[in-house]
Amino acid sequence: MWLLNSSIGKKLIMSISGLFLILFLLFHLCMNIAAVFSGEAYNVICGLLGSNWYALVGTLVLAVGVVVHFVYAIILTLQNRKARGNDRYAINARPKGVEWASQNMFVLGLIVILFMILHFTQFWYNMMFAELAGIHGDIHPQDGAAFINFYFQGNVVNTILYLVWFVALWFHLTHGFWSAIHTIGWNNTIWLNRWECISKWVATIICGLFAVITIIFYLNGVGA
Amino acid sequence: MDKDISVTLKVWRQRGPKEKGQFETYKIEKINQSVSFLEMLDILNEQLVNEGKEPIVFDHDCREGICGMCSLYVNGHPHGPATGATTCQLYMRRFHDGETITIEPWRSAGFPVIRDLMVDRYAYDKIIQAGGFVSVNTGGVPDANAIPIPKKDADLAMDAAACIGCGACAAACKNGSAMLFVSAKVSQLALLPQGRVEAARRAKAMVAKMDELGFGNCTNTRACEMECPKNISVSNIARLNREFISAKLQD
């Protein structure tokens, strides 16, 4: 099967799974924006998702997306290191025009994944998992707004950790988005610069809004 | 004005593909900046021969930037610090007095070191043999206007055909990927009506050969494009991806 065996096929898997994860980020961003304006509205969304069957299916599909993206990143990185040969260059100069992020995608991705573990223990474990396992804590599993206030309002350490996460994600997306388009083949000499510019915008809009919202949560908590 | 300068060279010496290599340091005194980089190495080799030492092995041929035979990874750049130029087009005026110049061979699993700075680039020939040609019988020399080709396509094909297959793309790539070379060779034919006929078969065969020879996977860092002595664009890589994916989907 060419998708699994050829280099371009494997990259296409990275590309499609990456674009899918960007779509999820946009969805998650919409939820967060709702929470800024109204904690109640956010809790309605939490209630709609909760541990309903479609939310579970969605979570599973998402998990598969993350796992595929991560596993193929490992496979491709290992192959690429091997292709480089046994002796490393003594001097490595990054040529002008090569973005730093593009050469450090694996490390950036790893940082993003590590912070995801923190995020999951704070939210997913207390919400969807708690509901499924029937754990009852002080806060009701569907009261997402309360969890946001608990973790962010006045919590400097957590806020800074999340901001670091968004910076790593920003770097990852500035290269990832246009690179995914390029791998599919939707590019030419004219669109090359346009996609790179769009890529920076996409990364800045997503990560910038996430960051601003996090700071709002730190200062004021969710909207009344 | 070109001056006489003295430089220190750190040169990679390796006796054979399986042997361990190491850097050796040489001093070059009072070399004029108008001397080309390869001439400087010729002068050093003459010194070494006179001292009864083994000369440094390096590849070179036309010395005018068209054959793709010279290589050398100079101070962290394939073909040295100049842009859009091969090593043979590099002159000592790029360096200053007292500078240490590090010279390494192309380092890529696809290009094993033969000796010192010379690497085996036969892998690129194998990729060409897999499909980088047109096998239709064109008969005699056809009239230039018999098949109309848009100027834009002709220009893009010509730009892609400027690739001399030197291997700088794979040498510059942190993934050891040969995609810029393969994409240029696929593009130069895929863009023209005569090459279009076999485009699908060509893209599949050349990518399969590239993967088989152990070249890495392209992650679009664009290092290849920035270091390419012929300024081949990475938009060719997008075209190759397009050609390959649509060829596979049609199967």
Side-chain angles (χ1 to χ4, degrees):
Chain A
M1 178 62 182
W2 67 275
L3 204 58
L4 303 174
N5 298 331
S6 69
S7 60
I8 295 178
K10 277 178 272 192
K11 277 153 20 107
L12 191 64
I13 291 176
M14 280 304 277
S15 156
I16 303 287
S17 58
L19 289 174
F20 169 68
L21 294 174
I22 289 180
L23 283 181
F24 168 71
L25 282 178
L26 289 171
F27 169 73
H28 198 310
L29 187 58
C30 293
M31 288 184 6
N32 289 17
I33 290 171
V36 172
F37 293 103
S38 159
E40 268 174 54
Y42 185 70
N43 278 356
V44 171
I45 302 172
C46 291
L48 278 173
L49 293 172
S51 59
N52 292 316
W53 68 269
Y54 49 84
L56 287 176
V57 171
T59 308
L60 272 178
V61 171
L62 207 54
V64 169
V66 174
V67 167
V68 164
H69 199 69
F70 188 53
V71 167
Y72 270 83
I74 294 172
I75 294 172
L76 289 170
T77 305
L78 288 177
Q79 277 188 351
N80 291 347
R81 279 192 72 83
K82 201 174 148 220
R84 205 74 205 73
N86 295 325
D87 286 311
R88 304 266 132 192
Y89 283 120
I91 295 187
N92 279 299
R94 183 156 55 87
K96 226 170 108 184
V98 174
E99 299 273 354
W100 174 81
S102 72
Q103 296 194 316
N104 294 283
M105 286 299 272
F106 186 76
V107 177
L108 289 167
L110 204 61
I111 296 171
V112 171
I113 288 244
L114 288 177
F115 275 104
M116 261 166 63
I117 296 171
L118 172 78
H119 186 56
F120 282 0
T121 53
Q122 290 177 341
F123 288 88
W124 179 79
Y125 175 78
N126 285 325
M127 295 173 77
M128 185 188 268
F129 185 78
E131 211 171 312
L132 287 174
I135 303 167
H136 293 290
D138 297 336
I139 306 171
H140 190 269
Q142 287 191 356
D143 193 357
F147 280 113
I148 292 176
N149 286 340
F150 178 76
Y151 283 114
F152 290 104
Q153 206 171 7
N155 191 334
V156 187
V157 177
N158 212 29
T159 306
I160 289 174
L161 282 176
Y162 273 70
L163 291 180
V164 172
W165 187 19
F166 301 144
V167 170
L169 187 64
W170 183 84
F171 276 111
H172 197 77
L173 291 182
T174 52
H175 178 71
F177 182 71
W178 83 261
S179 180
I181 302 284
H182 197 83
T183 298
I184 298 173
W186 291 332
N187 215 342
N188 58 34
T189 343
I190 297 165
W191 274 88
L192 196 60
N193 291 331
R194 292 182 186 169
W195 280 125
E196 279 197 72
C197 180
I198 293 169
S199 196
K200 287 209 175 74
W201 273 103
V202 168
T204 309
I205 289 169
I206 293 179
C207 299
L209 282 176
F210 269 124
V212 167
I213 291 169
T214 305
I215 293 168
I216 292 173
F217 288 160
Y218 165 70
L219 297 172
N220 298 331
V222 295
Chain B
M1 260 305 280
D2 292 332
K3 301 174 297 192
D4 284 348
I5 58 169
S6 299
V7 290
T8 307
L9 300 178
K10 264 180 75 183
V11 183
W12 184 260
R13 304 299 306 260
Q14 185 172 341
R15 288 196 63 82
K18 302 257 179 264
E19 305 205 26
K20 236 183 121 48
Q22 75 287 322
F23 282 104
E24 295 216 356
T25 309
Y26 304 96
K27 286 238 184 272
I28 296 273
E29 303 290 343
K30 301 254 175 291
I31 189 127
N32 195 270
Q33 284 182 310
S34 65
V35 168
S36 85
F37 195 79
L38 293 185
E39 282 165 352
M40 181 272 295
L41 286 180
D42 291 337
I43 293 167
L44 172 64
N45 271 347
E46 198 178 358
Q47 279 178 27
L48 291 175
V49 171
N50 289 340
E51 290 165 15
K53 292 178 185 158
E54 283 281 335
I56 299 160
V57 178
F58 64 94
D59 266 325
H60 60 99
D61 193 13
C62 76
R63 298 210 178 188
E64 53 182 337
I66 52 172
C67 76
M69 202 58 210
C70 58
S71 49
L72 305 187
Y73 193 85
V74 183
N75 282 351
H77 296 281
H79 291 298
T83 50
T86 55
T87 302
C88 63
Q89 295 170 306
L90 180 67
Y91 284 81
M92 291 310 289
R93 61 179 71 93
R94 285 269 171 191
F95 305 95
H96 55 78
D97 196 29
E99 187 169 346
T100 300
I101 305 169
T102 308
I103 312 172
E104 300 173 71
W106 283 179
R107 296 194 197 279
S108 170
F111 298 148
V113 172
I114 297 170
R115 189 163 181 168
D116 296 342
L117 303 170
M118 182 189 270
V119 298
D120 179 2
R121 283 172 283 180
Y122 187 48
Y124 271 16
D125 295 333
K126 285 183 187 159
I127 296 173
I128 291 288
Q129 283 161 9
F133 50 80
V134 172
S135 54
V136 287
N137 186 358
T138 54
V141 181
D143 188 75
N145 296 322
I147 307 170
I149 298 167
K151 173 84 168 86
K152 192 171 138 268
D153 292 350
D155 283 350
L156 285 172
M158 192 62 214
D159 288 348
C163 168
I164 50 176
C166 64
C169 42
C173 179
K174 78 175 187 67
N175 309 320
S177 168
M179 282 287 276
L180 193 66
F181 166 75
V182 178
S183 69
K185 296 301 173 192
V186 162
S187 292
Q188 67 182 21
L189 296 173
L191 282 159
L192 301 176
Q194 295 92 332
R196 200 59 244 165
V197 183
E198 296 171 291
R201 188 195 56 80
R202 182 180 306 114
K204 286 186 284 185
M206 290 178 81
V207 169
K209 183 54 86 175
M210 172 187 82
D211 291 346
E212 179 199 319
L213 291 169
F215 286 103
N217 310 288
C218 172
T219 59
N220 304 323
T221 69
R222 300 183 73 176
C224 52
E225 178 186 42
M226 301 304 163
E227 299 287 12
C228 175
K230 296 296 158 187
N231 300 318
I232 305 292
S233 164
V234 291
S235 63
N236 288 305
I237 295 181
R239 185 177 297 104
L240 172 61
N241 291 336
R242 201 153 64 225
E243 292 283 338
F244 180 83
I245 293 168
S246 56
K248 286 293 186 186
L249 288 178
Q250 274 163 19
D251 281 350

